[in-house]
Amino acid sequence: MVDLYSSPPIDIRNRPLVGVDQLVVPDVYRNDLKGIMLSEGEMRNRVERIAADISIFPIEGDLLSICMLKGAMYFFTDLNRALGALDYPVEFGTLGSESYHGEESTGKVILSPFDYDKIPGRDVLIVEDIIDTGRTLDKVVNKMGAHNPRSLRVACLFDKPSRRLADVTLQPDYIGFKIPDEFIIGGGLDFDGRYRNLPHVAVLKDELRS
Ligand code: IMP
Ligand code: MG
């Protein structure tokens, strides 16, 4: 598309982790962390940059910005706040998804109920935390795309390219960071419902993941 510009993702796949004593880290979480992959400050600046990229694209009426619950909540609020400051009008939507991990080859994605009558003719932005196998976003984009949006874009804060399934061709239009094949928490992302409000994105100690 002519008007779609996105700055390249920041590739942090080979960056060493930062120690928990090198940044301000909440005491309740610090002993669980192997290290910090990305600080809150760098993440915030990148989100503002993504908002600037998104705002170049001309829309008709308000953007329908859809938050993929729950992991994208912080990314979603920061991004849409920045879009407002850039004179880009937004309506909020939410969509929940559940995927069955552990069954790598047969993993099924279940989406929460959504009013798809809102989609025809609208400029739609799907806001997701992370693309891993790609199953979740693939399903969401197919479902939304079938309801004739005027435009359909995907913003995803983290991309783990090494995990992508061969049959998933979908590429998010806006990506914040390319990350290595590590399970991350913080900045909205969880392990078993925990750590979402850790301000930085971190890697959990191996012994806590079993
Ligand atoms: P996909 O369908 O395999 O692409 O998985 C996407 C979903 O899995 C994301 O929306 C997250 O909820 C979850 N996920 C994948 N990798 C991570 C991670 O490293 N930390 C936390 N959640 C993750
Ligand atoms: Mg998610």
Side-chain angles (χ1 to χ4, degrees):
M1 230 179 286
V2 184
D3 295 306
L4 200 148
Y5 169 78
S6 62
S7 54
I10 299 176
D11 191 341
I12 58 170
R13 284 177 291 186
N14 295 313
R15 196 193 275 186
L17 296 180
V18 172
V20 291
D21 297 327
Q22 293 176 280
L23 289 166
V24 178
V25 177
D27 284 338
V28 279
Y29 294 142
R30 65 191 303 134
N31 291 127
D32 295 356
L33 310 179
K34 197 193 276 184
I36 309 293
M37 185 180 283
L38 187 67
S39 72
E40 179 187 21
E42 188 175 359
M43 199 166 23
R44 180 155 301 169
N45 195 286
R46 181 71 188 133
V47 171
E48 283 183 31
R49 178 60 220 230
I50 293 173
D53 291 349
I54 289 170
S55 72
I56 294 170
F57 185 89
I59 48 176
E60 280 178 12
D62 292 3
L63 178 74
L64 180 55
S65 184
I66 298 174
C67 180
M68 296 299 298
L69 301 173
K70 304 169 185 158
M73 288 173 86
Y74 285 146
F75 176 37
F76 179 80
T77 51
D78 291 347
L79 187 69
N80 288 295
R81 209 189 301 267
L83 285 171
L86 292 164
D87 276 323
Y88 211 67
V90 165
E91 177 185 340
F92 284 3
T94 58
L95 185 62
S97 75
E98 246 175 274
S99 46
Y100 293 93
H101 292 288
E103 286 181 52
E104 294 289 332
S105 55
T106 56
K108 210 173 176 317
V109 178
I110 313 269
L111 300 181
S112 68
F114 183 84
D115 182 7
Y116 290 94
D117 292 341
K118 275 189 159 296
I119 301 295
R122 295 296 298 277
D123 291 293
V124 176
L125 177 72
I126 294 160
V127 182
E128 173 64 307
D129 53 359
I130 183 166
I131 178 164
D132 187 50
T133 64
R135 269 196 208 101
T136 305
L137 274 178
D138 197 54
K139 174 143 189 178
V140 172
V141 167
N142 281 322
K143 199 88 211 266
M144 296 284 168
H147 289 80
N148 302 310
R150 176 177 178 271
S151 68
L152 180 58
R153 291 176 289 165
V154 176
C156 190
L157 190 52
F158 298 104
D159 180 10
K160 273 187 209 171
S162 62
R163 296 262 309 158
R164 201 66 33 81
L165 293 174
D167 59 340
V168 172
T169 53
L170 172 115
Q171 255 306 101
D173 302 287
Y174 309 93
I175 294 173
F177 301 89
K178 281 191 189 178
I179 65 165
D181 182 10
E182 295 266 21
F183 192 86
I184 57 171
I185 50 170
L189 290 103
D190 74 309
F191 173 69
D192 244 356
R194 298 196 69 210
Y195 307 108
R196 288 194 197 275
N197 74 340
L198 169 68
H200 313 294
V201 167
V203 179
L204 204 58
K205 282 182 178 164
D206 293 324
E207 59 264 37
L208 291 170
R209 282 211 52 210
S210 41

